[in-house]
Amino acid sequence: MLEQLLSHLGFYIPEVLLIILMCSLLFIEAGYGSREKGRVMVYYAAFAGLFLTAIMLCLNFGHDSMYLFSNAIVIDKFGTLAKLIMVVGTAATFIISLMVTDFERELKPEFLIMGVGVLIGGMLLVSANNFLTLYLGIETLSILSYVMASFKRSDSRSSEAGIKYLLYGGVTAGIMLFGLSHLYGVIGSIQFTEVFTVLKTVEGTKLASVLAGFLLFFVGIGYKISCFPFHMWTPDVYEGSPISVTTFFSIVPKIAGLSALIRITSIFFASNNELSEFWVLFIHLIAVATMTVGNVSAIKQVSMKRMLAFSSIGHVGFMLLGIVVIDTVGYGAILFYLLTYVFMTLVAFYITAILEDYYGTDTMASFKGLVKKHPWLAIIMSCTLFSLAGMPPFSGFVAKFNLLSAIIDKGYFSLAFIAAINSVIALYYYVMVTKYMILGDVEFSEKAKTVNFNNQLIISFLFFPIVFLGIFWEKVYTLAQNATIFLP
Amino acid sequence: MMMSLASYLVISAFLFLIGIAVILSRKSLIAILLGIELILNAAALNFVTYSRFGSQDLDGHIMTLFIIVVAAAEAAVGLAIVIRHFQLKETIHIDEVSQLKE
């Protein structure tokens, strides 16, 4: 028993490392956090820990699928790749958080600690193999997120963001649990594998209650990835939170939630029966509604943070297309999309953050005439926005193209048509920002001092993958496809 | 006297509905947090019930224990955020929490 546990722990090293990292960061912070030296120690320890975790994840990538701790956790290539993207995104967010002054410097170490905690929750969610670990993953993710949203202690907008996140999160988690409890009652197990075997044979009234259970269950996941009926919190929380927290929210919880949704779909709904047809139809409708609502609402926004929030809703709707396919091609395309989306969000939010830092506002006004003040920044921002809109030669185009080709292969022409129209709407509001930057009259005449060499260098580094993945995408795309093959 | 499965389910469904009603109708943030607790308790009761009458394994009981722990953590964090908001705005009325509208 003990030997088995230890051998299982061997495959669980990345998560264990992160837990140790979080505890040690907490101790360093509690001991020396009041001095600048202690804070620097926390930063170094956090980056070293994340780096080690990334290496361990790479080592785990070679193994086949493993079921650990009495089938509570599954380690497979798909999950490991998703976790790797999350770790990279977290590290980049930490860098952004240290470079901008969006909240008090004394609280930065706490942001890092909470960030590592959310990352642990996300990893738990990605590799969940029963309802208990799934629920724990979502709650670890959420509870720490509430605190992060209200990080700016002197600003009531920040605490309001926290309250809104908390209320939505609490209610949806409760509804999800209620659904899960009925699923457990009908099926008699919380293990995914056993649920799957029972699901193949359910019919009649049992089928109806299973459907209701899954609908309630979707509320929880849908809130985490902010898709249509549960998206109302997104713009408010994104706007109220400090901007490095906003960046974090648009990366880790999204990747974790979508990966969990992919795993659930591929385990429960892969076989062709009534249940699977219903689920496909359901996700189909949700995807169309999410895309349309996100993109149409983004048009009239003046706050950059709010616009990016609505555009992130649009992107989630687009990624849900890959789930409609119920095929590893779609899942691989989603993983690739997530990878490119991480870098695009990082660059867009970083540039917004350093401009907000100096001008004190995140409205379009700070972008007006940017090309006359900071040409390099304006070029990078325009390219990133074009990439978000899905224009070649950037990676956003490749990601959207792969998803569209996956759904056209399966014959969902109307869906592809709606997605294409949505891309045009998205292009409109992204190009509006570019227009402000290049043709707009300068509103703030002085140059932003925060646009210094260091910031521009980091932005260029983060921007590099957007171009690189747009041109040399085959290897990475094949990697993402290979990772999804072993999903059950 | 032995209570049947149905009576437990009816009670938990009522708890769930009361929780939703509290969340939708009450205007105090504290009361809304209470409503969330009611929903979580409904789910916890369901898990124990199904474990007792259905599969007879311990999964449901363990789920319930975890739900209780997580609900406590969530309530602690939630109350802390509400207190912070009260210190800044001197109110916990839900209609006052509306600065972040366009």
Side-chain angles (χ1 to χ4, degrees), chain A residues 142-324:
Chain A
S142 309
I143 291 179
L144 288 168
S145 303
Y146 308 151
V147 185
M148 286 173 92
S150 46
F151 240 142
K152 217 173 186 174
R153 286 196 294 197
S154 54
D155 187 358
S156 63
R157 288 154 54 91
S158 184
S159 68
E160 181 182 328
I163 286 176
K164 283 187 171 160
Y165 207 7
L166 166 82
L167 294 185
Y168 273 103
V171 174
T172 49
I175 293 174
M176 181 188 83
L177 261 184
F178 196 71
L180 285 186
S181 69
H182 281 294
L183 274 181
Y184 169 67
V186 175
I187 288 161
S189 171
I190 58 170
Q191 295 291 348
F192 283 177
T193 34
E194 285 172 45
V195 174
F196 169 64
T197 38
V198 179
L199 274 188
K200 277 195 287 198
T201 55
V202 291
E203 50 192 11
T205 50
K206 261 193 168 183
L207 185 69
S209 50
V210 167
L211 280 182
F214 271 115
L215 283 187
L216 291 181
F217 169 55
F218 183 79
V219 174
I221 295 273
Y223 148 80
K224 239 9 313 163
I225 62 175
S226 68
C227 65
F228 163 59
F230 323 107
H231 69 285
M232 293 311 294
W233 60 274
T234 320
D236 287 355
V237 171
Y238 275 35
E239 195 193 350
S241 313
I243 195 157
S244 44
V245 176
T246 312
T247 320
F248 193 69
F249 283 170
S250 58
I251 293 175
V252 174
K254 287 242 158 72
I255 300 177
L258 271 166
S259 309
L261 193 60
I262 290 174
R263 190 182 295 286
I264 288 155
T265 310
S266 83
I267 292 177
F268 295 153
F269 304 104
S271 50
N272 277 322
N273 54 17
E274 276 179 62
L275 199 62
S276 149
E277 277 168 27
F278 174 81
W279 186 253
V280 168
L281 184 69
F282 178 65
I283 299 282
H284 194 130
L285 294 177
I286 293 276
V288 169
T290 310
M291 264 192 296
T292 316
V293 168
N295 284 325
V296 171
S297 324
I299 292 176
K300 57 178 189 290
Q301 302 302 326
V302 285
S303 154
M304 194 66 190
K305 270 171 159 178
R306 273 188 100 84
M307 195 206 91
L308 285 172
F310 278 114
S311 97
S312 88
I313 297 172
H315 281 284
V316 165
F318 216 98
M319 284 184 240
L320 285 178
L321 296 182
I323 291 176
V324 174

Side-chain angles (χ1 to χ4, degrees), chain A residues 324-335:
Chain A
V324 174
V325 180
I326 310 220
D327 191 356
T328 52
V329 180
Y331 307 148
I334 294 180
L335 266 187

Side-chain angles (χ1 to χ4, degrees), chain A residues 76 207 278 325 385 388 438 447:
Chain A
D76 56 6
L207 185 69
F278 174 81
V325 180
L385 290 176
L388 278 166
I438 293 170
K447 284 189 167 190

Side-chain angles (χ1 to χ4, degrees), chain B residues 53-70:
Chain B
F53 289 95
S55 56
Q56 303 279 346
D57 57 11
L58 284 176
D59 287 353
H61 293 276
I62 292 171
M63 251 341 247
T64 305
L65 280 177
F66 272 99
I67 291 171
I68 293 168
V69 172
V70 170

